[in-house]
Amino acid sequence: MKHRPLALLGAMLLSTGLVACSSSGGDSDQDAGGTTVLDVWLMRDSVSETFQKEFEAGFEEAHPDIDVKIQIQEWAGTGEKVTAALASNDAPDVIEVGNTQVAQYAQSGGLTDFSGKVAELGGDSWLKGLAEPGAWEGKQYGIPYYAANRVVIYRTDLFKKAGIDATKIKTREQWLAATEKLNNNGVQGIYLPGQNWYTLAGFIWDEGGDLATRQGDRWKGGLDSPEALRAMEFYKRLQALGKGPKDSDEARPLQTEVMAKGQVAQVIATPGGANVIAQNNPDLKGKLGFFPIPGKTPHTPSAVFTGGSDLVVPSVAAHQEEAYTFVKELTGDAWQKKLALAMSYVPNKTTLASAVASDPGAAAMAVGAANGHATPNTPQWAAVEAKNPIKDYMTAVLTGRDPKSEAANASQSIATTLNSGS
């Protein structure tokens, strides 16, 4: 799933445009020296130019019989591009896709099944929020690549002035108390817009519920479960401690711009938001910190939505063995550590969390990522997000309407959409 922002992100003419630029197939499969040319699509901003060059050089030194050709693709229209590629006879050998997109591509039968390679790739320690959506009907098609998730970005100076130690905020109740204390010190304790549904999803998972569950061959919306209703009640309490709008999300207005104005002590966002805040208000440079979203108990942080990417190999790709070698290297421990440090990402395995210990934002993400989740694993989820009854439900509750009846209506809408593709 594209996580910039963590929302899910064209014409089919691209099937003759981008797909035609693939170097696989025919006599172009090998260069004059007999090495295999491996065509790889990575998405914009998943790697820096410096990291890309370092990886290509290192990989080709270790595998001199493979010549890697990485093409950077744009996130806009990615679904159409990949669908066209999988349906072509000239698909690239490896493609980066959003973690929640894997199901729609696997459903068509267009991806290589890596179920037999999971143990070899270290699958026992993969982040659940990347691994689970990378599987479809019991088979593993997407190999976890990198992750990102939301944390609390906070003003260190305002916390200090209020006498609050952020490192000691471990539970929801402690978080509420600290936010109220900030309010009493003349600032807005938190800016939380009413339709930040990814944050609500984390609270629902934290309570033991889900956005939707599958029962046999049918889906059931989960917003009206007792667990989800408790999560919404907590969201309402937290949102009330700030002045965020009840009828819009974190992009309208951009919450980083709101915090940059100087009167907001906290927002919930990916750590990169701190850079945007400081760019908008240079006076805040060096005054922004991070901590994981607190959970119900001090021992476990809140569940979070895991955004990020998986690597897939088209079933029609010409170089299956070489493609697997590429995937194994890029998702292996050595390059994952380097990627995490270079890009401030969370590595794909829980065992690698210490690799980002020197990066405060990424370190806070890594703590939360250990309790990461993904949206319901079905190709139809994109259609749910297109209408997004979750946002309307949240606004309805925050403006005083009955939570149970509104949750039932939203759950029915989710179920109808998901089951329309059954």
Side-chain angles (χ1 to χ4, degrees):
M1 168 175 188
K2 177 180 178 291
H3 62 271
R4 307 168 187 85
L6 280 172
L8 283 176
L9 344 117
M12 293 303 291
L13 291 173
L14 289 165
S15 65
T16 57
L18 282 172
V19 175
C21 72
S22 168
S23 62
S24 56
D27 294 336
S28 64
D29 287 352
Q30 294 186 331
D31 62 23
T35 59
T36 298
V37 177
L38 195 71
D39 190 22
V40 177
W41 286 3
L42 296 183
M43 303 306 295
R44 177 72 62 194
D45 297 330
S46 74
V47 293
S48 64
E49 183 177 354
T50 300
F51 178 86
Q52 179 181 332
K53 289 180 178 178
E54 181 184 1
F55 175 77
E56 287 178 351
F59 179 86
E60 290 175 358
E61 181 180 359
H63 305 281
D65 56 333
I66 303 176
D67 180 14
V68 176
K69 301 295 184 184
I70 294 177
Q71 301 175 42
I72 301 299
Q73 308 294 332
E74 302 295 335
W75 281 107
T78 182
E80 291 85 355
K81 298 173 188 179
V82 175
T83 298
L86 297 180
S88 76
N89 293 319
D90 193 29
D93 298 294
V94 180
I95 304 176
E96 175 192 348
V97 301
N99 58 326
T100 61
Q101 295 174 328
V102 176
Q104 70 184 85
Y105 305 135
Q107 185 184 45
S108 68
L111 301 181
T112 297
D113 176 13
F114 286 113
S115 300
K117 300 290 189 180
V118 170
E120 183 177 318
L121 293 170
D124 58 339
S125 60
W126 280 340
L127 294 177
K128 184 171 65 173
L130 293 179
E132 288 186 352
W136 174 249
E137 295 187 337
K139 297 180 179 180
Q140 193 72 40
Y141 296 98
I143 305 305
Y145 177 23
Y146 66 84
N149 51 265
R150 287 164 175 76
V151 299
V152 180
I153 301 176
Y154 74 100
R155 286 275 302 275
T156 56
D157 56 332
L158 296 181
F159 269 57
K160 183 178 181 179
K161 183 178 179 181
I164 300 169
D165 183 351
T167 65
K168 295 182 178 179
I169 301 176
K170 301 296 184 181
T171 69
R172 286 184 184 175
E173 293 303 320
Q174 291 170 346
W175 190 20
L176 291 173
T179 303
E180 188 168 2
K181 189 174 183 180
L182 288 161
N183 283 337
N184 293 335
N185 273 262
V187 297
Q188 185 177 171
I190 190 168
Y191 178 84
L192 179 61
Q195 296 183 344
N196 192 334
W197 71 275
Y198 283 116
T199 295
L200 173 64
F203 298 154
I204 292 173
W205 292 319
D206 212 25
E207 291 284 353
D210 208 337
L211 299 171
T213 56
R214 190 160 190 169
Q215 300 177 346
D217 61 352
R218 304 290 290 174
W219 284 91
K220 182 180 185 301
L223 297 181
D224 54 347
S225 70
E227 295 84 1
L229 289 170
R230 288 198 300 269
M232 187 62 219
E233 175 58 27
F234 174 75
Y235 189 100
K236 184 177 181 180
R237 291 174 64 195
L238 182 64
Q239 203 269 342
L241 293 176
K243 300 176 182 178
K246 294 177 171 57
D247 59 352
S248 63
D249 59 25
E250 59 269 40
R252 298 173 299 138
L254 289 171
Q255 61 179 0
T256 50
E257 293 182 358
V258 175
M259 191 170 186
K261 293 178 180 178
Q263 294 302 309
V264 173
Q266 304 173 87
V267 291
I268 300 170
T270 53
N275 296 328
V276 179
I277 293 166
Q279 287 169 8
N280 279 279
N281 185 350
D283 289 342
L284 297 183
K285 187 175 181 179
K287 298 179 181 178
L288 298 171
F290 314 89
F291 60 86
I293 299 173
K296 294 183 67 177
T297 69
H299 308 294
T300 306
S302 175
V304 292
F305 170 75
T306 301
S309 291
D310 285 4
L311 297 179
V312 300
V313 174
S315 56
V316 296
H319 311 113
Q320 294 287 323
E321 183 177 343
E322 293 86 351
Y324 174 69
T325 299
F326 178 93
V327 170
K328 185 178 180 181
E329 287 275 6
L330 188 52
T331 64
D333 290 6
W335 286 107
Q336 279 290 300
K337 291 177 182 178
K338 293 180 180 180
L339 178 68
L341 288 174
M343 303 300 294
S344 294
Y345 290 150
V346 178
N348 61 3
K349 300 182 181 74
T350 57
T351 52
L352 300 178
S354 61
V356 292
S358 62
D359 183 327
M365 275 201 301
V367 173
N371 194 17
H373 295 251
T375 50
N377 193 11
T378 166
Q380 290 299 113
W381 186 257
V384 172
E385 289 197 26
K387 296 192 299 182
N388 214 323
I390 306 172
K391 287 186 173 184
D392 294 336
Y393 156 65
M394 296 174 74
T395 294
V397 174
L398 294 175
T399 54
R401 299 177 71 172
D402 179 58
K404 289 185 178 180
S405 61
E406 294 297 330
N409 292 338
S411 291
Q412 183 57 54
S413 177
I414 291 173
T416 299
T417 302
L418 294 183
N419 291 322
S420 67
S422 300

